[in-house]
Amino acid sequence: CANVFPVGGGRSLRHNIPNMKNYITFACLSCFSICSVLFLPLDNKSHDRQLYAESIDNEAAINDQLEVISREDIVFKAKTQKPEREQSLPSDKHQPRQQQTTKPRLLPVTTGTVVSGPEGHLPEGMSLAHASVQTNGSQPVKRITNRDSLQETIDNAYECLLRGKKYEARNFYSQALFMETSRERQQIIKRHLDALNKELVFSPNPGPGSTVYKVVSGDNLTKIAKKFNTTPGLILKINKKQDVRIRIDEPLKILTGTPSIVVDKSDFTLTLLIDGHFIKQYHVGTGKNNSTPEGGFAVETTLKNPIWYSPEGVYPYGHPKNILGTRWLGFQNKPGMVGYGIHGTTEPESIGTESSNGCIRMKNEDAEELYDFITPGTEVIISS
């Protein structure tokens, strides 16, 4: 005001009109800016479109570890839907799901037997599962799944996440992964599984599927691992320990489930499961001319830096002709099936191809990670 109406100086109000206009303009802009900040609308619905924000407390972990994917990315409609189901699903995938008056029920996943029409066509609304860990003797059983059952499983996983039940959500996503046939949607589901397992499995955080053991006098990692039918390497890995030294009363997270392995020759993948639930998937190489045998096997030997007893000779670890890499998981022999197993490789470029003599090849770093989970007797299912 002093600038607009200066005291003295012999200047009249008429001479200060330009200053007054500038002042009024500045005041209006200032008020507009303040109001914009105070009354800026908040998007309260953004959290409804995230799968993990409600269940992860550490916001930095969300940004660093998890890829937030909208729920609509993995909501798959069946080819034929009942009218009441159409009401519960958005008609436009870009529109948010309407708020429900009651929460969906958590139902078990149901599957049927293989039923096909002429030329192997499946009934309307049905799809063949990509893989299954259930076996009939030594051969995997192919099953079909109703798309409504797949949708129900996805819904169950999402509801579990909203309620902070990450272990149950992981298990539902694992079921959905083996029910889904689209490779693109499988990749989306696997990203959710990897994010959940990073916390549930590959971290010291205790929770379902694990126990916390307190070290007592006389303990060592080998003794503890034997007690829980696991490996010292896995105890070190999930507890982020750099060496084998342990102290009395030190808490150690121990995974309590039973591991198993599923190999799919059709897409060169090896999937690690615990109690039938997805833990991690790796790319592998298989045998030339489809020579990798199919069926059920059991791991018999686990070796670090293995010697290769090849048809041409015996080559110790480190020899240029030893192609086994840093780890070996050997299968129990069967009639006509001798010397098969899972191993690392000195030829990582062969991963994703039919290049071995029949064994399953992995990158060394992947074979080393898998090795820590596996104990003698672990079941292996190989199929195409």
Side-chain angles (χ1 to χ4, degrees), residues 51-52 62-63 65-70 191-192 195:
L51 285 179
Y52 295 107
I62 299 173
N63 297 329
Q65 301 176 10
L66 305 180
E67 178 181 356
V68 178
I69 303 174
S70 66
R191 288 203 294 272
H192 292 295

Side-chain angles (χ1 to χ4, degrees), residues 99-252:
Q99 184 175 1
Q100 298 178 349
T101 56
T102 58
K103 292 185 177 180
R105 294 172 299 140
L106 299 182
L107 300 175
V109 177
T110 57
T111 59
T113 56
V114 175
V115 179
S116 61
E119 300 180 359
H121 293 300
L122 298 175
E124 183 70 15
M126 309 295 283
S127 61
L128 186 64
H130 169 60
S132 173
V133 297
Q134 300 184 19
T135 60
N136 179 13
S138 61
Q139 296 298 324
V141 177
K142 293 183 179 180
R143 304 180 70 86
I144 58 176
T145 57
N146 191 293
R147 299 299 290 185
D148 284 344
S149 297
L150 172 60
Q151 179 63 68
E152 191 72 44
T153 308
I154 294 292
D155 287 343
N156 289 345
Y158 178 70
E159 293 301 324
C160 287
L161 283 176
L162 291 181
R163 286 156 31 194
K165 296 184 176 182
K166 293 177 240 183
Y167 180 79
E168 291 81 0
R170 190 277 308 275
N171 295 347
F172 276 121
Y173 275 130
S174 178
Q175 292 174 354
L177 177 65
F178 289 108
M179 296 167 71
E180 181 54 68
T181 57
S182 164
R183 296 293 174 87
E184 181 180 359
R185 292 192 291 255
Q186 285 173 2
Q187 292 302 317
I188 294 172
I189 295 173
K190 279 189 284 190
R191 288 203 294 272
H192 292 295
L193 285 165
D194 288 340
L196 286 166
N197 281 325
K198 192 168 186 177
E199 178 181 351
L200 295 172
V201 177
F202 296 95
S203 80
N205 300 333
S210 67
T211 187
V212 177
Y213 176 80
K214 284 192 175 182
V215 178
V216 299
S217 178
D219 270 341
N220 57 54
L221 285 181
T222 301
K223 184 177 179 179
I224 296 172
K226 185 175 181 180
K227 180 177 181 179
F228 290 96
N229 193 32
T230 185
T231 68
L234 186 57
I235 297 175
L236 288 172
K237 184 179 185 66
I238 65 177
N239 288 281
K240 309 298 183 184
K241 292 182 65 66
Q242 301 300 318
D243 58 62
V244 298
R245 290 176 294 181
I246 53 177
R247 64 181 187 277
I248 295 177
D249 290 333
E250 178 180 0
L252 296 173

Side-chain angles (χ1 to χ4, degrees), residues 305-325:
N305 304 332
I307 298 172
W308 187 30
Y309 296 89
S310 77
E312 293 78 25
V314 178
Y315 303 109
Y317 173 76
H319 191 282
K321 291 187 177 182
N322 185 333
I323 61 172
L324 296 185

